[in-house]
Amino acid sequence: MSPLVTNITFSHAPPSAQASGLLGWVRFQVGMFQFDSVTLRRTADGRLALSFPTRRDSRGVDHCFAHPVDAEARRAIELAVISALSGDGGLVA
């Protein structure tokens, strides 16, 4: 599966947040859907990963607004976004 990810933009997190692994926020389109407020994080093992926004209800349960349908779709979107950001003037190292 290879989703068409377009119109990728990136906003850097402040340096204080980057120390905890939050690199910034990504906005992009997949087909006719716009994804906003997706975070780009560096995991404890150094891998770059996207986190999709959620809403926490009154019982403390998180609910995703939108997210990839499976692990393969997540990897494909992450690869497209991270490759574009890495190749676009080194926004993400």
Side-chain angles (χ1 to χ4, degrees):
M1 179 186 326
S2 179
L4 180 58
V5 180
T6 60
N7 299 326
I8 301 167
T9 61
F10 180 73
S11 300
H12 288 277
S16 58
Q18 291 181 18
S20 67
L22 173 62
L23 300 178
W25 296 270
V26 182
R27 169 186 270 183
F28 58 89
Q29 285 181 249
V30 178
M32 295 178 14
F33 290 92
Q34 175 80 34
F35 291 85
D36 200 358
S37 300
V38 175
T39 59
L40 178 64
R41 298 181 177 278
R42 186 171 305 281
T43 64
D45 63 357
R47 188 176 66 82
L48 295 175
L50 298 178
S51 296
F52 289 80
T54 60
R55 178 188 64 82
R56 183 165 291 150
D57 68 19
S58 60
R59 294 171 290 148
V61 177
D62 287 333
H63 302 275
C64 291
F65 291 108
H67 57 86
V69 295
D70 57 24
E72 181 182 355
R74 176 179 291 278
R75 282 190 300 273
I77 291 169
E78 282 182 342
L79 178 62
V81 169
I82 293 168
S83 293
L85 293 176
S86 297
D88 189 17
L91 290 176
V92 178

